[in-house]
Amino acid sequence: MVIQRDDPLLHHDEVGILLRSAGLAPSMHNTQPWRFEVTGQVVDVLLDEDRTLPAEDHSGRMTRIGLGAAAFNLRVAAAMLGFETTLAIEPDPDRPDIAVRLFLGARHSTTISPIGSLYGELRRRHTYRGPMTTAEVSPLVLERLNAAARAEGAELHWLDQAANRELEQILHAADGLDLHDEDRLTERGRWVGGDRTQDGIPQAALGPVPARSAIFRDLAAGFDQHARSSAVFETNPRIAVLTTAVDDSVAWTRAGMGLQHSLLIATSYDLAVSFLNQAIEHVPLRSRIQDLVGHSTRPQLILRAGYPDHAAAETPRIPWQKSLDRWQ
Ligand SMILES: Cc1cc2nc3c(=O)[nH]c(=O)nc-3n(C[C@H](O)[C@H](O)[C@H](O)COP(=O)(O)O)c2cc1C
């Protein structure tokens, strides 16, 4: 059944559902680099320039990926509320701050699309930074993750054991560069560690330190080490590189949508995912990642997937009302 147009367009609680859902998206260092404007049945996702990472994300790639993930969550929530949706990336040349525009279309009260059925996963998904169990991820599940990324214009490339070994070397090289970069360390100190109530990554979410060399990213980079446990990580993790065909801000936004679609499908199978992006953030090392997955691809993210050994810690969020700039 399609609901008639003389209903109020959006109720206050529906705007809350939409924006709270968008805000649950992952973002680098949990900066939550988004703001929102709601005009009738149009929801705009805006880039918040005060929440970017100029040192660690100089190009803005990771920020756009976060915006794409937030836009995908918006679609999920809108579909759960019964709306058909269409979406435009960077829709208005006069408003370059608008990253994504979501149009809410006809509304159905009895059918929920497959995307809407992912709504329950929004709150269950968390970035996991601990070891995985030895349980294998079935090829069928991997294919579902691939299909989810592909549906948004991205691809997942799963690495074999030899590529994993090469990746480990590249990640260590990236860690070495990070640790000697004052600007990066200062920026990370602003967002990572300690107690956090609205944004950033609290120390409790950093996970254990690897007891021996592992394919891993330690975001702490020396902060809060005293309070952390150690653990043995899997020796041959399931690693995927998420790529796009081109490398511009529109493609980064699509990468974010593909990421979030895959993450929500992964969550529905109780899979956990962590990020190993240090190699993407350094241009010469990123080209070595390209050597691993093919020269026609543009690597955007490196993900580790598996069944988690323990529950992931939660990260805080800014109340949705604070990120709503305009509603008319
Ligand atoms: C583009 C992007 C890059 C990220 N890079 C890393 C990373 O390199 N290491 C890491 O541990 N987490 C990384 N994350 C995960 C964020 O830290 C995480 O999404 C954020 O802290 C919010 O927590 P949540 O995912 O549990 O909701 C990244 C997330 C995004 C979207």
Side-chain angles (χ1 to χ4, degrees):
M1 184 185 121
V2 176
I3 296 177
Q4 293 307 307
R5 265 305 185 57
D6 53 2
D7 277 349
L9 292 181
L10 284 172
H11 294 272
H12 181 268
D13 55 345
E14 292 174 325
V15 173
I17 286 170
L18 290 168
L19 299 201
R20 208 179 295 118
S21 299
L24 289 171
S27 57
M28 184 167 171
H29 294 351
N30 198 22
T31 56
Q32 303 164 60
W34 42 68
R35 307 200 59 77
F36 302 95
E37 291 181 3
V38 180
T39 313
Q41 295 213 162
V42 174
V43 184
D44 284 334
V45 182
L46 280 63
L47 167 69
D48 186 341
E49 291 284 359
D50 294 337
R51 295 184 162 275
T52 58
L53 298 166
E56 287 186 280
D57 181 31
H58 183 64
S59 65
R61 170 184 289 107
M62 300 301 166
T63 300
R64 289 280 163 177
I65 291 175
L67 293 171
F72 187 79
N73 278 11
L74 262 184
R75 271 180 66 201
V76 169
M80 182 280 293
L81 291 171
F83 289 104
E84 290 175 10
T85 59
T86 48
L87 180 143
I89 300 175
E90 298 178 22
D92 186 349
D94 294 331
R95 289 284 312 272
D97 55 331
I98 301 177
V100 179
R101 173 164 286 168
L102 187 76
F103 300 90
L104 306 181
R107 192 167 191 188
H108 304 269
S109 64
T110 47
T111 46
I112 291 188
S113 71
I115 284 203
S117 65
L118 290 173
Y119 181 75
E121 310 304 337
L122 295 178
R123 277 185 188 284
R124 291 184 65 230
R125 185 212 60 80
H126 303 293
T127 300
Y128 173 75
R129 299 185 180 83
M132 306 292 184
T133 68
T134 52
E136 275 294 316
V137 185
S138 84
L140 183 124
V141 173
L142 293 180
E143 192 37 55
R144 285 222 60 202
L145 303 185
N146 297 345
R150 207 172 293 134
E152 312 307 327
E155 291 284 339
L156 287 173
H157 301 258
W158 297 92
L159 302 188
D160 61 19
Q161 204 164 345
N164 269 3
R165 293 281 73 83
E166 175 67 16
L167 175 68
E168 188 169 5
Q169 303 301 318
I170 302 171
L171 295 179
H172 286 318
D175 288 338
L177 292 174
D178 278 3
L179 284 176
H180 292 97
D181 187 323
E182 277 297 322
D183 291 344
R184 283 172 172 264
L185 290 178
T186 305
E187 187 173 88
R188 207 182 288 185
R190 182 184 157 207
W191 292 100
V192 178
D195 292 329
R196 307 260 164 186
T197 54
Q198 297 210 342
D199 55 17
I201 306 179
Q203 186 259 327
L206 290 175
V209 183
R212 50 176 189 251
S213 182
I215 301 184
F216 180 77
R217 182 178 208 182
D218 189 5
L219 280 181
F223 310 117
D224 296 320
Q225 294 303 46
H226 58 284
R228 295 172 67 198
S229 59
S230 68
V232 175
F233 281 65
E234 66 275 21
T235 46
N236 192 33
R238 274 257 170 231
I239 307 266
V241 180
L242 186 141
T243 67
T244 51
V246 286
D247 205 18
D248 57 18
S249 57
V250 172
W252 300 338
T253 307
R254 284 196 190 289
M257 295 196 249
L259 166 74
Q260 186 63 358
H261 197 162
S262 300
L263 291 180
L264 295 177
I265 295 286
T267 308
S268 72
Y269 285 100
D270 293 331
L271 276 174
V273 176
S274 64
F275 295 74
L276 307 163
N277 281 334
Q278 61 267 56
I280 302 283
E281 293 162 22
H282 295 275
V283 174
L285 297 177
R286 184 169 174 243
S287 66
R288 286 176 63 187
I289 301 296
Q290 208 174 12
D291 292 343
L292 294 180
V293 291
H295 286 267
S296 59
T297 65
R298 302 289 175 265
Q300 308 297 357
L301 292 167
I302 305 176
L303 305 171
R304 178 177 67 110
Y307 294 99
D309 192 50
H310 56 266
E314 293 193 19
T315 47
R317 289 297 188 275
I318 299 165
W320 67 268
Q321 296 89 341
K322 285 196 182 175
S323 56
L324 176 59
D325 280 350
R326 193 164 54 112
W327 178 22
Q328 60 186 33

